[in-house]
Amino acid sequence: MSSFLLHVAVQPSSVGPPMRAARYLRRGPQLPRADFQLRPVPSGFAPQEQEYQQALLLVVALAGLGLGLSLIFIAVYLIRFCCCRPPEPPGAKSPPPGGGCVTWSCIAALLVGCTGIGIGFYGNSETSDGVSQLSSALRHANHTLTAIDHLVLEMVERLDEAVRTELTTLEEVLTQRTELVAATRGARRQAEAVAQQLQGLAFWQGVPLSPVQVAEDVSFVEEYRWLAYVLLLLLELLVCLFTLLGLAKQSRWLVIVMTVMSLLVLVLSWGSMGLEAATAVGLSDFCSSPDTYILNLTREETGLGSDILNYYFLCNQAVSNPFQQRLTLSQRALANIHSQLQGLEREAVPQFPSAQKPLLSLEETLNVTEGNFHQLVALLHCRGLHKDYGAALRGLCEDALEGLLYLLLFSLLSAGALATALCSLPRAWALFPPRNPSASCSGSHLSEPFLHARLEPVPHLRSFPSCRRRPH
């Protein structure tokens, strides 16, 4: 029965076709890319190659080009507005035509920017969720690998202890019966063989790459990325709200300050757009075919064989379990030890009562070892680690990539809205009515009527005959 369970555990699942982790990923069309010499670059993910790095830098440069063109357009528009404005007729009190359209276009642009801010918050949250899923999968994989090493070490130590103490004591007790001593030595050889086979199952022991360290590094970078985007979103939200407040209050100084801040946020939006676009392009290339790149990278970092890496990263019926032979030999050796101990208990205990205690101790050690062995078989199966691999890819290539696309849309809406606002705000504050200097000095508009009344000359009173004082 145990041999049948071992055979089922070490074989890949035969219920249906194995599902590779890449099958869960969304694959979109690959955009053409080129290096600095405008030569086409293959779409495969190769960050170590100089041509691919140049292609990603060229994507960032396109965002810089967009920033330069938008700044030139804004400067030309404002110069034309300031220098080519027709002179107002003297004594004109009505605002020039089109003033209301300018103000409402600025308000509409700011509202579009606020909509982009909401999209940015959602994209930032999605990206953070995807990276958190990646970190969680790496930590769970590290827990599995650590548990494998711990179980192997515990079983090897138990078997070595049994060989040094119980089996040695049993040989000393059974020295008068050579056939019983031979059976005891056979159990010793089987235990040593099991310990030797088990030591080869701790494949991750001594590997310099630590998944939990990678997870901590990723979480550290993600924490600061998330905080930077929250500050950028809050800054743009404050700029939009205070600009709307300045337009509502017709406060010229507030609108001027927010115009300068809008220019700063415009530069930040184009910069974040370049980083988001380059990251999205690289991540899309990686997610189109992640298995090959991860296999090669893990082989270089860990030095593990291709058979082990293919088994855990692919986990299909075409790849056999590289530990199946060791597990089968260990299972057979444990079964042989168990049968030999039962034979010794039947033959030796009636003649040598002192042999019962080491035999019972050996039986207990063997039962614990068999329980740990079945747990080790389950951990060594590719299902667990491949599930973590699939969860990491889904977090990175679905949630994180989707969040990056939403952040890219936020940057695009933000750049367009701020560029429109920068073109409209100077025309809007030019339509504000001028402040009365005397009113601003007095501190209240309520004092203006009294001030005018005080400055008007007092007319002379008319004298009526009936009002003259009579002499006494």
Side-chain angles (χ1 to χ4, degrees), residues 16 23 51 63 99 146 176 204 215 227 238 320 328 397 430 462 468:
R23 290 185 57 184
E51 292 79 7
T146 306
Q176 298 178 5
W204 199 258
L227 181 60
L238 291 176
S320 61
T328 304
C397 298
R462 294 179 59 187
R468 293 178 182 176

PDB file of all heavy atoms in Angstrom, residues 16 23 51 63 99 146 176 204 215 227 238 320 328 397 430 462 468:
ATOM      1  N   GLY A  16      -5.750  15.235 -15.756  1.00  0.00           N
ATOM      2  CA  GLY A  16      -5.939  16.034 -16.959  1.00  0.00           C
ATOM      3  C   GLY A  16      -4.613  16.562 -17.412  1.00  0.00           C
ATOM      4  O   GLY A  16      -3.572  16.324 -16.794  1.00  0.00           O
ATOM      5  N   ARG A  23       0.047  29.667 -18.963  1.00  0.00           N
ATOM      6  CA  ARG A  23      -1.276  29.604 -19.555  1.00  0.00           C
ATOM      7  C   ARG A  23      -2.235  30.562 -18.873  1.00  0.00           C
ATOM      8  O   ARG A  23      -3.271  30.926 -19.433  1.00  0.00           O
ATOM      9  CB  ARG A  23      -1.831  28.181 -19.472  1.00  0.00           C
ATOM     10  CG  ARG A  23      -1.152  27.188 -20.362  1.00  0.00           C
ATOM     11  CD  ARG A  23      -1.842  25.855 -20.308  1.00  0.00           C
ATOM     12  NE  ARG A  23      -3.250  25.975 -20.666  1.00  0.00           N
ATOM     13  CZ  ARG A  23      -4.100  24.958 -20.623  1.00  0.00           C
ATOM     14  NH1 ARG A  23      -3.678  23.766 -20.232  1.00  0.00           N
ATOM     15  NH2 ARG A  23      -5.362  25.134 -20.943  1.00  0.00           N
ATOM     16  N   GLU A  51      21.251  46.104 -26.852  1.00  0.00           N
ATOM     17  CA  GLU A  51      20.232  46.561 -27.793  1.00  0.00           C
ATOM     18  C   GLU A  51      18.875  46.648 -27.119  1.00  0.00           C
ATOM     19  O   GLU A  51      18.113  47.593 -27.363  1.00  0.00           O
ATOM     20  CB  GLU A  51      20.170  45.625 -29.008  1.00  0.00           C
ATOM     21  CG  GLU A  51      21.383  45.657 -29.914  1.00  0.00           C
ATOM     22  CD  GLU A  51      22.537  44.846 -29.359  1.00  0.00           C
ATOM     23  OE1 GLU A  51      22.317  44.167 -28.330  1.00  0.00           O
ATOM     24  OE2 GLU A  51      23.639  44.893 -29.949  1.00  0.00           O
ATOM     25  N   ALA A  63       8.865  59.774 -24.206  1.00  0.00           N
ATOM     26  CA  ALA A  63       8.148  60.584 -23.219  1.00  0.00           C
ATOM     27  C   ALA A  63       8.836  61.937 -23.031  1.00  0.00           C
ATOM     28  O   ALA A  63       8.160  62.970 -22.901  1.00  0.00           O
ATOM     29  CB  ALA A  63       8.065  59.834 -21.890  1.00  0.00           C
ATOM     30  N   GLY A  99     -14.423  84.891 -23.191  1.00  0.00           N
ATOM     31  CA  GLY A  99     -13.849  84.707 -21.857  1.00  0.00           C
ATOM     32  C   GLY A  99     -14.474  83.568 -21.100  1.00  0.00           C
ATOM     33  O   GLY A  99     -13.796  82.822 -20.403  1.00  0.00           O
ATOM     34  N   THR A 146      12.588  25.300   2.736  1.00  0.00           N
ATOM     35  CA  THR A 146      13.156  25.156   4.082  1.00  0.00           C
ATOM     36  C   THR A 146      12.604  23.917   4.782  1.00  0.00           C
ATOM     37  O   THR A 146      13.346  23.218   5.497  1.00  0.00           O
ATOM     38  CB  THR A 146      12.852  26.413   4.908  1.00  0.00           C
ATOM     39  OG1 THR A 146      13.312  27.571   4.210  1.00  0.00           O
ATOM     40  CG2 THR A 146      13.534  26.352   6.262  1.00  0.00           C
ATOM     41  N   GLN A 176      25.831 -14.011  20.442  1.00  0.00           N
ATOM     42  CA  GLN A 176      25.859 -15.472  20.490  1.00  0.00           C
ATOM     43  C   GLN A 176      25.156 -16.121  19.291  1.00  0.00           C
ATOM     44  O   GLN A 176      25.357 -17.306  19.036  1.00  0.00           O
ATOM     45  CB  GLN A 176      25.196 -15.947  21.794  1.00  0.00           C
ATOM     46  CG  GLN A 176      25.915 -15.474  23.048  1.00  0.00           C
ATOM     47  CD  GLN A 176      25.214 -15.910  24.319  1.00  0.00           C
ATOM     48  OE1 GLN A 176      24.222 -16.648  24.251  1.00  0.00           O
ATOM     49  NE2 GLN A 176      25.748 -15.491  25.470  1.00  0.00           N
ATOM     50  N   TRP A 204      18.081  22.149  -2.218  1.00  0.00           N
ATOM     51  CA  TRP A 204      18.225  23.597  -2.038  1.00  0.00           C
ATOM     52  C   TRP A 204      19.245  23.944  -0.955  1.00  0.00           C
ATOM     53  O   TRP A 204      19.554  25.109  -0.743  1.00  0.00           O
ATOM     54  CB  TRP A 204      16.871  24.214  -1.694  1.00  0.00           C
ATOM     55  CG  TRP A 204      16.794  25.687  -1.933  1.00  0.00           C
ATOM     56  CD1 TRP A 204      16.879  26.674  -1.000  1.00  0.00           C
ATOM     57  CD2 TRP A 204      16.636  26.351  -3.191  1.00  0.00           C
ATOM     58  NE1 TRP A 204      16.778  27.915  -1.594  1.00  0.00           N
ATOM     59  CE2 TRP A 204      16.617  27.739  -2.954  1.00  0.00           C
ATOM     60  CE3 TRP A 204      16.506  25.905  -4.511  1.00  0.00           C
ATOM     61  CZ2 TRP A 204      16.475  28.671  -3.962  1.00  0.00           C
ATOM     62  CZ3 TRP A 204      16.356  26.839  -5.517  1.00  0.00           C
ATOM     63  CH2 TRP A 204      16.338  28.195  -5.248  1.00  0.00           C
ATOM     64  N   ALA A 215      12.073  38.402  -1.932  1.00  0.00           N
ATOM     65  CA  ALA A 215      10.772  38.966  -1.564  1.00  0.00           C
ATOM     66  C   ALA A 215      10.941  40.240  -0.734  1.00  0.00           C
ATOM     67  O   ALA A 215      10.203  41.223  -0.928  1.00  0.00           O
ATOM     68  CB  ALA A 215       9.954  37.933  -0.789  1.00  0.00           C
ATOM     69  N   LEU A 227       4.637  54.801  -2.282  1.00  0.00           N
ATOM     70  CA  LEU A 227       4.608  56.087  -1.577  1.00  0.00           C
ATOM     71  C   LEU A 227       4.870  57.246  -2.532  1.00  0.00           C
ATOM     72  O   LEU A 227       4.209  58.302  -2.435  1.00  0.00           O
ATOM     73  CB  LEU A 227       5.660  56.065  -0.461  1.00  0.00           C
ATOM     74  CG  LEU A 227       5.760  57.332   0.399  1.00  0.00           C
ATOM     75  CD1 LEU A 227       4.439  57.602   1.098  1.00  0.00           C
ATOM     76  CD2 LEU A 227       6.893  57.201   1.411  1.00  0.00           C
ATOM     77  N   LEU A 238      -4.194  68.348  -5.144  1.00  0.00           N
ATOM     78  CA  LEU A 238      -4.184  69.660  -4.499  1.00  0.00           C
ATOM     79  C   LEU A 238      -4.069  70.776  -5.523  1.00  0.00           C
ATOM     80  O   LEU A 238      -4.724  71.832  -5.387  1.00  0.00           O
ATOM     81  CB  LEU A 238      -3.025  69.729  -3.496  1.00  0.00           C
ATOM     82  CG  LEU A 238      -3.152  68.862  -2.240  1.00  0.00           C
ATOM     83  CD1 LEU A 238      -1.904  68.967  -1.394  1.00  0.00           C
ATOM     84  CD2 LEU A 238      -4.376  69.268  -1.431  1.00  0.00           C
ATOM     85  N   SER A 320       9.965  14.050 -16.016  1.00  0.00           N
ATOM     86  CA  SER A 320       9.896  13.084 -14.915  1.00  0.00           C
ATOM     87  C   SER A 320      10.481  13.681 -13.637  1.00  0.00           C
ATOM     88  O   SER A 320      11.254  14.638 -13.666  1.00  0.00           O
ATOM     89  CB  SER A 320      10.656  11.808 -15.281  1.00  0.00           C
ATOM     90  OG  SER A 320      12.032  12.103 -15.524  1.00  0.00           O
ATOM     91  N   THR A 328      12.197   5.921  -4.377  1.00  0.00           N
ATOM     92  CA  THR A 328      11.834   4.499  -4.465  1.00  0.00           C
ATOM     93  C   THR A 328      12.805   3.626  -3.678  1.00  0.00           C
ATOM     94  O   THR A 328      12.396   2.726  -2.925  1.00  0.00           O
ATOM     95  CB  THR A 328      11.792   4.073  -5.933  1.00  0.00           C
ATOM     96  OG1 THR A 328      10.880   4.914  -6.645  1.00  0.00           O
ATOM     97  CG2 THR A 328      11.349   2.639  -6.067  1.00  0.00           C
ATOM     98  N   CYS A 397       2.233  39.507 -13.788  1.00  0.00           N
ATOM     99  CA  CYS A 397       1.851  39.693 -15.190  1.00  0.00           C
ATOM    100  C   CYS A 397       0.380  40.006 -15.384  1.00  0.00           C
ATOM    101  O   CYS A 397      -0.029  40.278 -16.525  1.00  0.00           O
ATOM    102  CB  CYS A 397       2.211  38.443 -15.991  1.00  0.00           C
ATOM    103  SG  CYS A 397       3.977  38.084 -16.002  1.00  0.00           S
ATOM    104  N   ALA A 430      -6.554  86.974 -16.776  1.00  0.00           N
ATOM    105  CA  ALA A 430      -6.629  88.281 -17.411  1.00  0.00           C
ATOM    106  C   ALA A 430      -8.055  88.817 -17.426  1.00  0.00           C
ATOM    107  O   ALA A 430      -8.273  90.024 -17.563  1.00  0.00           O
ATOM    108  CB  ALA A 430      -6.088  88.200 -18.841  1.00  0.00           C
ATOM    109  N   ARG A 462     -30.741 125.994   2.260  1.00  0.00           N
ATOM    110  CA  ARG A 462     -31.557 127.147   1.903  1.00  0.00           C
ATOM    111  C   ARG A 462     -32.216 127.723   3.147  1.00  0.00           C
ATOM    112  O   ARG A 462     -32.631 126.983   4.032  1.00  0.00           O
ATOM    113  CB  ARG A 462     -32.629 126.732   0.893  1.00  0.00           C
ATOM    114  CG  ARG A 462     -32.031 126.313  -0.458  1.00  0.00           C
ATOM    115  CD  ARG A 462     -33.133 125.884  -1.398  1.00  0.00           C
ATOM    116  NE  ARG A 462     -34.070 127.001  -1.594  1.00  0.00           N
ATOM    117  CZ  ARG A 462     -35.218 126.878  -2.258  1.00  0.00           C
ATOM    118  NH1 ARG A 462     -35.565 125.695  -2.777  1.00  0.00           N
ATOM    119  NH2 ARG A 462     -36.023 127.918  -2.402  1.00  0.00           N
ATOM    120  N   ARG A 468     -36.235 131.990  10.078  1.00  0.00           N
ATOM    121  CA  ARG A 468     -35.341 132.984  10.649  1.00  0.00           C
ATOM    122  C   ARG A 468     -35.705 133.230  12.100  1.00  0.00           C
ATOM    123  O   ARG A 468     -36.869 133.231  12.489  1.00  0.00           O
ATOM    124  CB  ARG A 468     -35.429 134.303   9.883  1.00  0.00           C
ATOM    125  CG  ARG A 468     -34.883 134.182   8.460  1.00  0.00           C
ATOM    126  CD  ARG A 468     -35.040 135.493   7.731  1.00  0.00           C
ATOM    127  NE  ARG A 468     -34.551 135.373   6.353  1.00  0.00           N
ATOM    128  CZ  ARG A 468     -34.652 136.381   5.457  1.00  0.00           C
ATOM    129  NH1 ARG A 468     -35.249 137.542   5.821  1.00  0.00           N
ATOM    130  NH2 ARG A 468     -34.207 136.195   4.260  1.00  0.00           N
TER     131      ARG A 468
END
